[in-house]
Structures are given as structure tokens and as C-alpha cells.
Amino acid sequence: MKSKFTVSSFFKAKENQEKITMLTAYDYSMAKIVDGAGIDSILVGDSLGMVVQGYESTLEVTMDDMVYHCKAVARGAENAFIVGDMPFLSYHISIEESVRNAGRLIQEGKAHAVKLEGGVDVADKVRAIVKAQIPVMGHIGLTPQSVNVFGGFKVQGKDKAQALKVIEDAVALEKAGAFSIVLEGIPEKLAKIITEKVSIPTIGIGAGRYCDGQVLVIHDLLGMYSGQSPKFSKRYAALNETIKASVEGYVSEVKSLKFPEEKHTFSIDDQIIEEITR
Ligand code: KIV
């Protein structure tokens, strides 16, 4: 039987060279399924802005959105370690606001940790949140909240200056007390250097094979997102097609009176029918 995954399990996994598994989930039902399937950690990612809310980026997602989805996930997950994403502008204004917002994801959302994007630039916020006894997962490389600065969702760390910057960010997060770091959209060899350099586990998404763990957006894995899936994700199912075919079947059976059948109905005593229609 799987036991609860905790912050120490992250460190133990790195030490034992066991890969950490992480997936996003945004609601109770999906959290229950992925938790039951044995996932180590669930990320309530602000990617929900794109795959659940239909925005073109994650920038519109609010703290209230994140709290709402964290709460739903927390009710569905028994053993997985839940990480709540801090949305755009929730940790940029001041240290005080950052700690308060991180606290909401823990206190109201029932997450076990928070994740925020950035390295050197947010190290002071990470330090303060950790000081408030809230575990922090960093996120560097292709950080989606910086889409307008990057000019699109572009792989980061390909030239020397960028590569050095990503390494510097990783070291700054470790020093600030983060317990792990998501490495997104960076070359595999750079991710390997960082994974060997820092003592905290790295979780890769589009960062190759050498990270200490992997994370994917559940809609990409299940083939449920109608937008373009990134090159680094892998589809393990084609639920888009399954769902569409199921809905078409339902529509057709309702129209042709094939659904519902007698077995889907509830009965009532004929005597009562007679009395109420007399
Ligand atoms: O929001 C999210 O789902 C993420 C992952 C892509 C790491 O941050």
C-alpha cells in the first residue's frame, strides 16, 4: 500500500535515485484517479488557465481560482503531495503579500506546498515563505508567466548567458530554502548539470531524462486538450476522441429513443398512479 508522499520523500527519492512522479490535476474526480494510480505528487498548476478556463496563457488566473481548485483536489487526494501554484502577481508586489497568498493556498486550499516561478529575482519571497513554514517548489527555465518577456513559449538556456542564468537561478532557489525545483523547457544537458549541482530534487517538464522527477499537464497526457500539445509531452490516451464519440452516441440514442431504456428508470405502484390521475 502506498504511504503519504511528503517533503522528506522528495529528498529520499533523490538520494535513492528513484524518479519522482508528478501530474497536474484541477478537480476532485481527477485528483482521486491520479492519486489512486499511485502518483507521488499533484500539482494544481496555473496551467488551469489554459486547459480548464480556455485562456491563451496563465496570466489571467487569480488567487481565488487557485484556492478553489486546490480545495477540490485536496478532497480527492489521499497520499499524493499537493503543490499549489502561485498565480501571476500573487508574489511580485511585496514580501508580505507573497507570504499571505502562499498561506491561503495552505490554509484554505489545503495544499502541502506552493510553487512559484523565477530564481534570483524571487529569492527574497521564497526565503520569507519558507520562514513562514511553507515548503516552496521553485520553477525556472521556460516560466509561462514570463511569456510576454520571452516573446512566446520558447525553450530557455540555449546560449551561454541564458544557460548560466538558469544555473544561477537554481542555486539561488536552493540557497533560499526551496525543497525542489521544476525545470521547464531547457536543454537536457543543462538540466543534467543543474540536477547534479543542487542537492534538492529537480522535476523536469521538457528538460530531458536526467531530472530527479517528471511532471506533465494531465490534459496533455490524456489527449484532452484541443490546443497544440508541446513537443516534450507524451499522449498516453486519446480521450478527446473517446469523449467526442461518447457524446455523439448519447445524442444519437436520445434522438432515436434508444436511451433511456426501461433498466434506467424507477418504478411506482400502479395503484398510486391511478389515485393521482383519477
Ligand atoms: O502550471 C503548471 O501546470 C506548471 C507545470 C507546467 C510545471 O507549472
Side-chain angles (χ1 to χ4, degrees):
M1 206 181 76
K2 192 164 166 76
S3 55
K4 278 194 186 298
F5 208 79
T6 62
V7 165
S8 2
S9 317
F10 275 84
F11 288 108
K12 216 176 285 166
K14 178 159 181 133
E15 199 182 304
N16 297 339
Q17 297 185 354
E18 274 167 30
K19 297 288 185 187
I20 299 160
T21 59
M22 188 179 210
L23 273 175
T24 66
Y26 315 102
D27 64 36
Y28 167 82
S29 301
M30 195 61 86
K32 208 167 166 59
I33 294 170
V34 301
D35 183 85
I39 203 77
D40 293 327
S41 180
I42 294 177
L43 170 64
V44 187
D46 64 352
S47 49
L48 69 86
M50 298 171 81
V51 299
V52 176
Q53 297 173 321
Y55 292 117
E56 282 189 357
S57 76
T58 58
L59 299 178
E60 285 86 352
V61 179
T62 66
M63 268 308 298
D64 285 346
D65 292 336
M66 293 311 306
V67 168
Y68 173 91
H69 287 278
C70 280
K71 274 183 183 175
V73 165
R75 287 192 286 266
E78 208 179 307
N79 295 312
F81 185 84
I82 303 169
V83 180
D85 230 349
M86 296 197 66
F88 180 58
L89 280 192
S90 68
Y91 56 97
H92 302 84
I93 316 266
S94 70
I95 288 190
E96 200 179 296
E97 239 183 85
S98 309
V99 175
R100 186 162 297 124
N101 284 326
R104 280 193 70 195
L105 293 181
I106 305 293
Q107 206 165 37
E108 298 173 49
K110 308 291 176 210
H112 302 118
V114 301
K115 175 170 84 57
L116 51 81
E117 298 181 8
V120 173
D121 290 347
V122 295
D124 56 341
K125 315 291 187 340
V126 172
R127 203 168 290 115
I129 296 169
V130 170
K131 220 168 163 191
Q133 308 305 307
I134 299 171
V136 175
M137 178 176 273
H139 183 169
I140 55 177
L142 195 184
T143 44
Q145 290 172 15
S146 307
V147 61
N148 291 324
V149 175
F150 296 151
F153 295 103
K154 293 180 181 160
V155 173
Q156 298 296 302
K158 278 179 88 79
D159 66 34
K160 187 177 164 190
Q162 273 187 9
L164 287 172
K165 167 85 173 82
V166 184
I167 294 173
E168 196 190 356
D169 281 338
V171 172
L173 285 170
E174 179 180 28
K175 280 199 183 131
F179 76 95
S180 67
I181 312 172
V182 169
L183 302 179
E184 176 165 0
I186 62 170
E188 181 175 68
K189 285 182 181 168
L190 177 59
K192 184 170 188 285
I193 290 170
I194 294 170
T195 300
E196 287 166 359
K197 194 173 179 68
V198 296
S199 63
I200 55 178
T202 59
I203 313 291
I205 174 160
R209 293 163 287 183
Y210 303 107
C211 296
D212 298 307
Q214 296 291 327
V215 57
L216 278 182
V217 169
I218 189 87
H219 287 61
D220 290 336
L221 176 146
L222 295 177
M224 271 178 79
Y225 183 48
S226 50
Q228 176 148 17
S229 285
K231 164 192 157 105
F232 55 73
S233 72
K234 181 171 174 183
R235 281 188 172 199
Y236 288 82
L239 289 200
N240 260 357
E241 281 103 82
T242 308
I243 293 170
K244 187 162 177 269
S246 309
V247 173
E248 283 168 352
Y250 167 74
V251 168
S252 148
E253 289 201 352
V254 170
K255 299 266 187 207
S256 61
L257 314 185
K258 284 198 184 127
F259 176 83
E261 299 167 49
E262 191 177 358
K263 66 182 177 192
H264 303 120
T265 67
F266 302 105
S267 62
I268 185 171
D269 217 357
D270 285 346
Q271 174 77 29
I272 294 173
I273 292 296
E274 204 181 298
E275 283 168 20
I276 62 177
T277 54
R278 203 176 281 151

